[in-house]
């Protein structure tokens, strides 16, 4: 009986802890329209997990279960598509990072009031604790509030950073963690929060001249699920249908009400880009919408932080046409990217989402520009470019990502401070 219990526990652990054992990521490059069509057809089949979009002469990362590898290779070979193995065993990479998470963390100072140290990926409770610890230690700069509740009833934390003065000061709104598996996003966003607050004295102008609003983890339920069950989970965790608990969750970045469901978003609740069926079905997207709207009149820039790809994206996703003020958006983006690249040489490309990435509709940035009327609205796809890790970015890149992204944010803040 005892052996049976141990066996059952082991089986459960294998099931939970090794879901990507033998999964492989291939990098494929479509060199002509026929090859791109073959890859797009494969993506539409939803048999494989496409980590990056199909684009001509650009690498596309495709993950396959061990059982389907031959099928994928058959498609590559029958269409003469150039390909190579990028990640031989996804689970091995996940495990390597979890081992790292067991390491002793480097404490920055003896008076540390929170766990975050940015040399590891932290859980929701730690991020929440960090926000409240800053609020308690720096009440003259930081106000923490709850913007709403997630589907699983977690507080959606909103951090306001302001040194007071005019209530109509220009503002910047930043969010992170819309997509559960993009762990570098909340890690980088909290790094920037820390820099603004704890290093205020070194550069007070970045707080004195603008007010900041941060929602560092929009999708805490998905984020926790990515930590406990499925490292590559993307959506939130809402159960749509009690009789179908295998197809759970909505892509929060397809659930906003601006050109909703006009391409690149799925009506199938099993799909990773499920749009929820209607706009604003999700408590997380409603809370983000309401938080943005509260300050929209004075918010000049909305920065929604994702990964991966190293892209600095402008709207729109639903059309390849560009916003009327695209040139101004592009100019500010290139100044921000130049400052980022100057630190370590990390290259970002700049362009509209539909032109640079792929068609998609219902994301938060399109809504923030199209409905909330925020002029400088960007999706920032952080490290890496995909050749190595993708969503599985090692934690030793958190601080470099924070340092270089902070340089870009400084440029945005300097520009926002001067805007009419
Ligand atoms: O597809 C997305 O939601 C974003 N990429 S990600 O790999 N992080 O999932 C891109 C959204 C870009 N924004 C617009 N299309 N407006
Ligand atoms: Zn994302």
């Amino acid at each position: 009986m005892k052996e049976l219990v141990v066996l059952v526990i082991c089986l459960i652990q294998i099931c939970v802890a090794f879901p990507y054992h033998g999964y492989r990521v291939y990098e494929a490059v479509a060199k002509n329209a026929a090859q791109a069509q073959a890859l797009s057809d494969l993506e539409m089949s939803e048999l494989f997990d496409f980590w990056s979009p199909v684009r001509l002469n650009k690498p596309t990362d495709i993950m396959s279960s061990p059982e389907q590898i031959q099928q994928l290779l058959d498609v590559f070979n029958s269409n003469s598509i150039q390909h190579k193995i990028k990640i031989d065993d996804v689970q091995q990479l996940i495990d390597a990072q979890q081992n790292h998470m067991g390491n002793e963390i480097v404490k920055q100072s003896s008076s540390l009031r929170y766990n975050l140290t940015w040399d590891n990926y932290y859980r929701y409770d730690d991020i929440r604790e960090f926000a409240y610890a800053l609020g308690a230690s720096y009440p003259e700069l930081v106000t923490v509030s709850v913007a709403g509740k997630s589907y699983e009833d977690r507080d959606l934390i909103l951090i306001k950073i302001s040194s007071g003065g005019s209530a109509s000061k220009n503002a910047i709104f930043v969010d992170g963690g819309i997509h559960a598996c993009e762990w570098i996003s909340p890690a980088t966003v909290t790094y920037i929060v820390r820099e603004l607050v704890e290093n205020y004295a070194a550069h007070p102008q970045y707080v004195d001249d603008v007010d900041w609003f941060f929602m560092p983890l929009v999708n805490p339920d998905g984020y926790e699920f990515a930590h406990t069950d499925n490292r590559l989970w993307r959506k939130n965790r809402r159960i749509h249908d009690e009789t179908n608990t295998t197809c759970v969750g909505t892509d929060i970045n397809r659930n906003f009400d601006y050109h909703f469901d006009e391409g690149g978003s799925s009506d199938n609740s099993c799909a990773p880009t499920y749009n929820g069926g209607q706009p604003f079905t999700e408590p997380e997207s409603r809370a983000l919408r309401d938080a943005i709207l509260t300050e929209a009149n004075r918010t000049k820039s909305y920065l929604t932080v994702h990964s991966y790809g190293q892209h600095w994206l402008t709207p729109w996703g639903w059309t390849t046409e560009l916003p009327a003020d695209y040139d101004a958006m592009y100019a500010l983006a290139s100044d921000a990217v130049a400052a980022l690249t100057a630190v370590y040489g990390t290259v970002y490309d700049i362009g509209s989402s539909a032109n640079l990435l792929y068609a998609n509709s219902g994301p938060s940035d399109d809504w923030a520009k199209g409905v909330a009327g925020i002029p400088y609205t960007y999706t920032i796809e952080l490290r890496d470019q995909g050749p190595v890790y993708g969503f599985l970015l090692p934690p030793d890149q958190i601080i470099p990502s924070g340092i270089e992204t902070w340089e870009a944010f400084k440029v945005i803040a300097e520009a926002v401070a001067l805007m009419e």
Side-chain angles (χ1 to χ4, degrees), residues 179 182 306-307:
H179 289 139
E182 298 167 6
H306 289 249
S307 72

Side-chain angles (χ1 to χ4, degrees), residues 73-88:
L73 290 173
D74 289 346
V75 174
F76 291 156
N77 293 333
S78 59
N79 292 280
S80 307
I81 295 172
Q82 180 192 311
H83 62 278
K84 64 177 185 211
I85 296 173
K86 209 161 93 169
I87 301 175
D88 189 40

Side-chain angles (χ1 to χ4, degrees), residues 160-161 167-174 209-213 295-302 374-376 412 416-417 419:
K160 177 182 177 184
I161 303 175
S168 58
K169 215 183 259 184
N170 286 347
I172 300 174
F173 195 107
V174 183
D209 298 348
V210 285
D211 282 354
W212 296 80
F213 296 86
E295 304 294 340
N297 285 345
R298 62 190 182 111
T299 303
K300 302 296 179 196
S301 183
Y302 167 63
I374 298 171
Y376 293 89
I412 301 288
V416 163
M419 285 177 192

Side-chain angles (χ1 to χ4, degrees), residues 44-195:
M44 294 300 285
S45 75
E46 293 183 358
L47 287 170
F48 299 94
D49 198 342
F50 277 60
W51 286 20
S52 56
V54 179
R55 289 173 298 165
L56 216 51
N57 294 317
K58 295 270 169 73
T60 300
D61 301 338
I62 308 166
M63 183 172 73
S64 172
S65 67
E67 300 76 29
Q68 289 177 310
I69 286 174
Q70 194 51 52
Q71 197 180 339
L72 184 59
L73 290 173
D74 289 346
V75 174
F76 291 156
N77 293 333
S78 59
N79 292 280
S80 307
I81 295 172
Q82 180 192 311
H83 62 278
K84 64 177 185 211
I85 296 173
K86 209 161 93 169
I87 301 175
D88 189 40
D89 187 330
V90 172
Q91 191 58 45
Q92 266 180 22
L93 204 52
I94 293 172
D95 289 346
Q97 298 191 2
Q98 276 165 351
N99 292 340
H100 181 98
M101 291 185 75
N103 290 349
E104 188 58 35
I105 51 179
V106 183
K107 296 278 180 194
Q108 292 166 309
S109 79
S110 54
S111 61
L112 212 63
R113 301 158 305 273
Y114 50 77
N115 287 329
L116 266 57
T117 51
W118 295 276
D119 61 352
N120 264 319
Y121 294 111
Y122 281 84
R123 303 289 289 271
Y124 164 77
D125 281 341
D126 295 313
I127 293 173
R128 184 175 174 281
E129 174 196 57
F130 163 71
Y132 282 107
L134 281 191
S137 300
Y138 302 91
E140 68 291 354
L141 290 181
V142 178
T143 312
V144 181
S145 60
V146 176
K149 291 275 193 181
S150 69
Y151 175 74
E152 291 176 351
D153 210 32
R154 292 185 176 89
D155 287 349
L156 302 174
I157 300 296
L158 181 68
I159 305 169
K160 177 182 177 184
I161 303 175
S162 168
S163 54
S166 165
S168 58
K169 215 183 259 184
N170 286 347
I172 300 174
F173 195 107
V174 183
D175 69 43
I178 282 184
H179 289 139
C181 55
E182 298 167 6
W183 291 0
I184 189 60
S185 160
T188 301
V189 169
T190 51
Y191 179 92
I192 287 166
V193 169
R194 189 205 65 85
E195 180 64 37

Side-chain angles (χ1 to χ4, degrees), residues 309-338:
Q310 296 172 200
H311 310 297
W312 196 285
L313 301 170
T314 80
W316 312 107
W318 56 279
T319 172
T320 51
E321 281 177 29
L322 299 171
D325 56 352
Y326 179 77
D327 289 350
M329 295 189 81
Y330 187 93
L332 179 55
S334 44
D335 288 349
V337 163

